[in-house]
């Protein structure tokens, strides 16, 4: 290989590397990290990006150089040189990727181990996912329930998760941590928030009709603000066995619209129009509401698919809870029609 | 001409059986027979269900979902296969009726109708595969356009959530099970026997059956849009327990996968037996073209892995219709079990969709650079390494799934190790290009495009292999970008490379080079504009499989949607470039590394071991004297056979019963209208110009040329 062509090749490689670097640096790739784990994960990301730009520039430059320089002349009927291989070269390009992936593996394994170490006394939060809502319970504070994940800044948090129905996945892009929430299992996820702010909680595992809307928020607060919130009384809606609190706790708000509970879901039928729907079904309001909760497939409002509403509320709710829920819905429906 | 006549004396060609006249036509295999057999089998299925339910005392006796499952998705397809004639030979054999034997010599396509019949010729089946898969490719592409239309703006535009989920689920399933996997099988069906110097596949009837299973699977998946509740909407991954509780469309997916899976298992077995037992004398494993190596490893992957997805889908269906509890926690089931079984197939499936493409790329790059492939043995060994490693990485799809945490690091190690053999392949392709005489024509554009796009897909795969990054990006648009770089930039680009590369061989016509190049560039630009930004929005926080998203991503999504419509439109150029155009460029400049241009392309293929070997010695083993020796032996053998007519060389099970072998391999004195021009000293077709075009057409496009012969003539000849 002539020296001039080697210089050309290297110039092309530098141009390709520059293009790769520009793509890596110009747009804002990763969200602003808000947890210690995210910081480490971002380190791995940039470490790998460096390696990838290196490999990409080699491949791109050789390809571009070859297809430009070694183009066949129209009248050339000869063959290329019959090169069948080169042992040294083949060993090199086996060994170098092997070394690179070993480095990546070691860095990743260390980061993974550090990210998973929750420390001696983490704040424990139980996460319960269901179609299509998140609930967060704080066992250290009398099993206080919240629909929004509130966390103190700079404290190690261990989320223990489970699902009531299908597989969901908990993700906060700013924390860079993600965990599938599987029925019957209790996987954990470790987070150490480092930045006060409000971030989205996103379900990333397809969980059915309302998957795109299965969102909540996490609010990272200062230690004192969190203590104040944690020790404060439960909001009226979350306390006691009243119909509205059951409505909230069971996740009905995720899918249904109901002004009385401040719910604005659009996946299921609008419960502010319950009276009209009962008429359409040809049943008295109270028994229609009860039937729709216990056996939702018995009558499905037109325009909504069958089999989407969970069918186990009849077994999950006690009789008194069910009565309270029906009373609440009937009364709100009557208020709505007036 | 005299030679053609002479060959008729020793061998009588028989066309397809003519349908009898009158009511007996209803019994003749074909669509007329399916028209009454499908309803008949459907009725039998209904009867079985009703009888069982009545006997068991289950109410209601007429239960829609079970009827659909048993009668429409199991019995009716069997009726279809029986009607079309896929079982005729075996059925006759089983009941002791006289069978209609075939000697693989006269069963090519004689008219376009033959492509709609059960035909056991591997080339006809290859074409059937390709036509069918391109149809489903277009259908699945349309679904993708609908998905992008919905995503062009945040909020809901055209579809409700259930329909939207159905759109992307069916899109992915069709693309995977009805396009990429069978399209490769179709290309391989056409070329692998030719490359091996085999007269056909080892089990031609099985080959035909495995093709006819495909339209069933595809129709089933498409039809799921029509049933109440809409199409299956749990993604192509169909994670349990969500899939168990979906509307009825799910069983269309469960059963569709069974039919498509059965098809690929049969094809793979066929390839394995063909490659192991039917190589031409002297064609050792280390002389096989890399494409054959690729199909060999792919077939191993298919036969080992595919039963797992069949099992996983059966379990989901049992949970649904029989109320078992494989994946239902309430009944003691284990939801992660589904994911383990599913990915134990579906990760190897990624290689099933990738390795044949590697083979095609090796072929095209080597031929178009006029150089032997660089590092042939290491290339073949890296295929085997991918095969072995491919089975040890399935749980990298499950890093965030809640499986045993210790499994993550070992799976990361094996996953990243696959980068090594893959890297070997990429670097060897580059070394093959180096100092070659590169013809940058359409197949080569696709092949080089494949290498560059696949490198990007492979590098994003390294991100996903590293557990910490995977935790951040799994189930986001980063994944969507990655799989499309691998399956679109990888598999689809090589399928296009293969179609353009073998188009003259398959049809006897040349595609339109200018349109072919235009097709490539439009696709290349549209593809990158569509899928590269997906990396970005995925990392920034957009989850996959959502019909609605954060308005922050609105601009990028609009851009992606517009780009994807552009990409979709580029397919129109592909369809245009197929248009019949009498070849202006003959294939003279095409120097195949594996198929001598002198082998017949349609109709009767046969062993041309000498010609095949002459090529292989040149392309793989030039330094080896042994190969040359084998080649000379084969040539001597060919001369003998030409002289002795029907003599069978010892030790061959699949025999050319005619001197056609000699004719097609271009033995002097046997050149005929349908025989090719004699290969040059290097084994290549040296004829050129108008004359060669006519010969080419004579050999390849024998569509209507051959007079039809009745059944009696064929029988008398035998």
């Amino acid at each position: 290989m002539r020296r001039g062509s080697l210089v050309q090749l290297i110039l092309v490689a530098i141009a390709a590397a520059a293009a790769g670097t520009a793509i890596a640096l110009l747009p804002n790739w990763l969200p602003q990290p808000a947890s210690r784990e995210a910081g480490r994960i971002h380190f791995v990301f940039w470490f790998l990006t460096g390696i990838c730009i290196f490999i990409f520039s080699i491949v791109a430059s050789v390809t571009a150089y070859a297809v430009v320089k070694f183009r066949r002349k129209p009248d050339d009927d000869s063959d290329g040189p019959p090169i069948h291989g080169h042992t040294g070269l083949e060993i090199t390009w086996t060994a170098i990727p092997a070394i690179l992936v070993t480095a990546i593996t070691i860095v990743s394994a260390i980061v993974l181990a550090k990210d998973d170490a929750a420390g001696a006394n983490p704040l424990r939060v139980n996460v319960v996912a269901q179609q299509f809502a998140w609930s967060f319970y704080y066992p250290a504070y009398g099993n206080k329930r919240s629909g929004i994940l509130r966390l103190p800044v700079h404290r190690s948090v261990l989320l223990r998760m489970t699902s009531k129905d299908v597989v969901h996945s908990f993700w906060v892009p700013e924390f860079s941590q993600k965990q599938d929430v599987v029925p019957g299992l209790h996987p954990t996820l470790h987070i150490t928030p480092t930045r006060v702010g409000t971030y989205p909680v996103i379900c990333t595992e397809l969980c059915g009709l309302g998957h795109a809307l299965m969102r909540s928020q996490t609010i990272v607060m200062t230690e004192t603000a969190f203590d104040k919130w944690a020790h404060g009384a439960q909001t009226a809606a979350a306390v006691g066995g009243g119909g509205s609190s059951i409505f909230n706790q069971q996740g009905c708000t995720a899918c249904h619209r109901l002004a009385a509970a401040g719910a604005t879901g659009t996946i299921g039928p609008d419960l502010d129009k319950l009276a009209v729907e009962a008429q359409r079904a040809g049943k008295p309001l109270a028994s229609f509401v009860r039937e729709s909760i216990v056996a939702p497939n018995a009558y499905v409002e037109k325009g909504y698919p069958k089999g989407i509403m969970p069918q186990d509320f009849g077994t999950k709710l006690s009789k008194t809870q069910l009565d309270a829920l029906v009373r609440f819905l009937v009364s709100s429906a009557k208020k709505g029609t007036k | 001409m005299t030679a053609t006549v002479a060959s008729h004396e020793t061998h009588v060609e028989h066309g397809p059986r003519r349908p009898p006249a009158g009511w007996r036509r209803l019994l003749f295999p074909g669509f007329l027979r399916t028209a009454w057999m499908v309803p008949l089998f459907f009725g039998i299925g209904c009867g079985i269900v009703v009888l069982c339910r009545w006997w068991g005392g289950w109410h209601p006796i007429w239960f829609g979902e079970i009827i659909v499952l048993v009668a429409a998705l199991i019995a009716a397809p069997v009726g279809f296969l029986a009607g079309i004639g896929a079982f005729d030979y075996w059925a006759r054999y089983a009941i002791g009726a006289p069978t209609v034997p075939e000697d693989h010599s006269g069963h090519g396509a004689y008219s376009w109708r033959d492509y709609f019949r059960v035909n056991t010729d591997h080339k006809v089946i290859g074409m059937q595969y390709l036509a069918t898969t391109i149809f489903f490719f277009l259908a699945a592409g349309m679904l993708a356009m609908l998905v992008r239309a919905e995503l062009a703006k945040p909020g809901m535009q055209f579809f409700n959530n259930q329909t939207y989920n159905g759109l992307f689920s069916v899109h992915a399933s069709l693309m995977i099970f009805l396009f990429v996997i069978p399209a490769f099988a179709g290309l391989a069906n056409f070329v692998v026997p030719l490359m091996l110097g085999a007269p056909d596949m080892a089990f031609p009837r099985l080959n035909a059956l495995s093709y006819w299973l495909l339209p069933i699977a595809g129709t089933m998946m498409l039809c799921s849009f029509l049933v109440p509740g809409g199409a299956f909407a749990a993604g192509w991954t169909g994670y349990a327990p969500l899939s168990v509780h979906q509307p009825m469309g799910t069983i269309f997916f469960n059963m569709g996968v069974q039919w498509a899976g059965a098809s690929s298992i049969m094809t793979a077995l066929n390839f394995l037996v063909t490659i192991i037992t039917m190589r031409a004398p002297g064609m050792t494993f280390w002389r096989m073209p890399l494409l054959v190596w690729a199909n060999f490893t792919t077939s191993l992957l298919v036969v080992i892995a595919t039963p797992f997805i069949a099992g996983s889908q059966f379990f989901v269906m049992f949970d649904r219709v029989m109320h078992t509890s494989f994946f239902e926690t309430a009944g003691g089931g284990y939801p992660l079990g589904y994911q383990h079984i599913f990915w134990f197939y579906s990760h190897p499936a990624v290689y099933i969709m990738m390795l044949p493409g590697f083979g095609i790329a090796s072929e095209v790059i080597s031929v178009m650079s006029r150089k032997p492939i660089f590092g042939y043995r290491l290339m073949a060994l890296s295929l085997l390494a991918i095969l072995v490693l491919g089975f040890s990485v399935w749980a990298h799809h499950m890093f965030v799934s809640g499986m045993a945490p210790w499994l993550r690091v070992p799976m990361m190690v094996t996953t990243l190790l696959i980068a090594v053999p893959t890297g070997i392949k990429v670097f060897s392709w580059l070394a093959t290009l180096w100092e070659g005489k590169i013809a940058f024509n359409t197949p080569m554009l696709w092949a080089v495009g494949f290498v560059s796009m696949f490198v990007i897909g492979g590098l994003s795969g390294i991100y996903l292999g590293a557990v910490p990054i995977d935790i951040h990006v799994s189930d986001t648009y980063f994944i969507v970008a990655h799989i499309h770089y691998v399956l679109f930039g990888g598999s689809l680009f090589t399928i296009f490379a293969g179609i353009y590369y073998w188009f003259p061989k398959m049809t006897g016509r040349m595609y339109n080079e200018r349109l072919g190049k235009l097709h490539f560039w439009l696709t290349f630009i549209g593809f990158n504009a569509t899928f590269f930004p997906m990396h970005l929005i995925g990392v920034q926080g957009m989850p996959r499989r959502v019909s609605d998203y954060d308005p922050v991503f609105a601009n990028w999504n609009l851009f992606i949607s517009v780009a994807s419509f552009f990409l979709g439109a580029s397919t129109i150029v592909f369809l245009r470039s197929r248009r019949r155009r009498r070849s202006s460029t003959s294939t003279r400049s095409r120097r195949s590394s594996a198929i001598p241009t002198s082998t017949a392309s349609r109709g009767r293929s046969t062993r041309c071991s000498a010609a095949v070997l002459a090529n292989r010695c040149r392309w793989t083993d030039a330094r080896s004297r042994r190969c040359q020796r084998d080649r000379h032996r084969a040539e001597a053998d060919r001369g003998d056979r030409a002289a002795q007519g029907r003599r069978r060389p010892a030790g061959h099970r699949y025999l050319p019963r005619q001197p056609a072998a000699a004719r097609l391999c271009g033995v002097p004195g046997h050149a005929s209208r349908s025989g090719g021009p004699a290969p040059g000293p290097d084994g290549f077709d040296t004829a050129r110009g108008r004359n060669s075009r006519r010969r080419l057409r004579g050999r390849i496009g024998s569509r209507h040329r051959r007079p039809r012969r009745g059944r009696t003539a064929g029988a008398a000849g035998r």
Side-chain angles (χ1 to χ4, degrees), chain B residues 402-717:
Chain B
M403 64 172 185
W406 70 266
L407 248 176
R408 294 184 293 181
V409 172
M411 286 291 167
M412 168 168 70
V413 173
T414 50
T415 302
L416 292 180
L417 267 184
I418 290 194
V420 176
T422 317
I424 291 173
K425 300 202 76 73
V426 170
F427 294 130
S428 298
W429 287 321
L430 295 183
T432 308
L433 285 176
W434 198 258
E435 294 194 331
K437 305 268 182 183
I438 297 172
F440 217 38
N441 49 16
T442 310
M444 186 62 162
L445 275 173
W446 286 106
V448 173
F450 151 75
V451 174
S452 48
M453 291 305 98
F454 180 71
V455 164
I456 297 180
L459 292 176
S460 63
I462 304 246
Y463 284 86
L464 294 168
V467 182
I469 303 176
D470 181 79
I471 290 175
H472 178 64
V473 295
S474 77
D475 283 318
T476 64
Y477 260 77
F478 192 87
I479 301 279
V480 180
H482 169 71
I483 57 158
H484 283 95
Y485 264 88
V486 176
L487 293 185
F488 194 128
S491 310
L492 184 58
F493 274 35
T494 53
I495 290 172
F496 279 139
I499 289 176
Y500 280 106
Y501 180 62
W502 285 300
F503 187 78
K505 189 111 201 126
M506 288 174 174
T507 61
R509 293 164 192 278
M510 195 64 187
Y511 57 84
N512 185 327
E513 186 74 48
R514 197 182 296 166
L515 285 182
K517 284 183 177 168
L518 181 69
H519 174 215
F520 170 78
W521 285 112
L522 292 183
T523 308
F524 186 79
I525 294 165
F527 164 73
N528 278 297
T530 304
F531 295 110
F532 198 83
M534 289 187 184
H535 290 112
L536 182 67
I537 56 175
V539 170
Q540 285 177 343
M542 180 160 161
R544 75 197 271 214
R545 292 173 167 171
V546 288
S547 51
D548 187 11
Y549 50 86
D550 195 318
V552 183
F553 305 115
N555 289 339
W556 272 122
N557 271 295
L558 182 61
F559 177 81
I560 291 170
S561 288
V562 172
S564 75
F565 297 142
F566 179 78
L567 178 60
S570 75
T571 313
I572 297 168
V573 183
F574 168 63
L575 298 176
R576 285 280 304 186
S577 70
R578 320 283 67 216
R579 291 213 355 181
R580 290 181 175 188
R581 182 160 166 272
R582 292 288 157 90
S583 133
S584 59
T585 336
S586 78
T587 50
R588 74 185 157 91
S589 57
R590 192 63 72 61
R591 304 182 171 191
S592 169
S593 71
I595 309 176
T597 37
S598 54
T599 28
S601 297
R602 288 162 98 245
R604 297 139 304 282
S605 69
T606 179
R607 257 175 206 277
C608 296
S609 53
V612 168
L613 265 187
N615 266 332
R616 290 315 294 163
C617 294
R618 182 181 173 80
W619 288 89
T620 62
D621 232 8
R623 286 171 298 185
S624 151
R625 279 172 188 239
R626 228 169 17 171
C627 189
Q628 298 298 341
R629 196 189 61 206
D630 288 350
R631 174 194 163 185
H632 292 311
R633 273 193 196 156
E635 266 165 7
D637 180 43
R638 184 175 63 175
D640 284 357
R641 256 188 292 152
Q644 295 177 18
R646 300 182 60 167
R647 193 181 76 88
R648 300 175 174 205
H652 293 196
R653 276 198 292 141
Y654 291 87
L655 308 164
R657 290 197 177 177
Q658 40 168 338
R663 193 174 79 220
L664 295 172
C665 292
V667 170
H670 281 267
S672 69
R673 191 160 62 113
S674 54
D682 52 356
F684 296 137
D685 186 348
T686 48
R688 52 191 66 183
R690 194 169 158 270
N691 203 17
S692 93
R693 227 179 300 142
R694 212 180 61 217
R695 284 201 205 138
L696 187 74
R697 216 181 120 49
R699 257 179 296 132
I700 295 167
S702 56
R703 219 166 266 178
H704 307 288
R705 191 170 51 76
R706 217 153 274 288
R708 273 207 188 174
R709 277 163 191 281
R711 197 177 163 192
T712 44

Side-chain angles (χ1 to χ4, degrees), chain A residues 192-221:
Chain A
T192 318
T194 52
R195 199 154 56 85
V196 173
T198 305
Y199 313 108
V201 171
I202 302 171
C203 174
T204 56
E205 188 65 71
L206 179 62
C207 57
L209 206 55
H211 168 57
L213 307 169
M214 185 169 166
R215 302 229 164 174
S216 181
Q217 283 185 326
T218 175
I219 301 178
V220 178
M221 325 160 83

Side-chain angles (χ1 to χ4, degrees), chain A residues 28 72 79 116 178 180, chain B residues 400 408 474 540 591 618:
Chain A
N28 239 342
R72 181 190 301 174
D79 283 347
D116 282 353
K178 183 183 290 135
D180 280 9
Chain B
V400 298
R408 294 184 293 181
S474 77
Q540 285 177 343
R591 304 182 171 191
R618 182 181 173 80

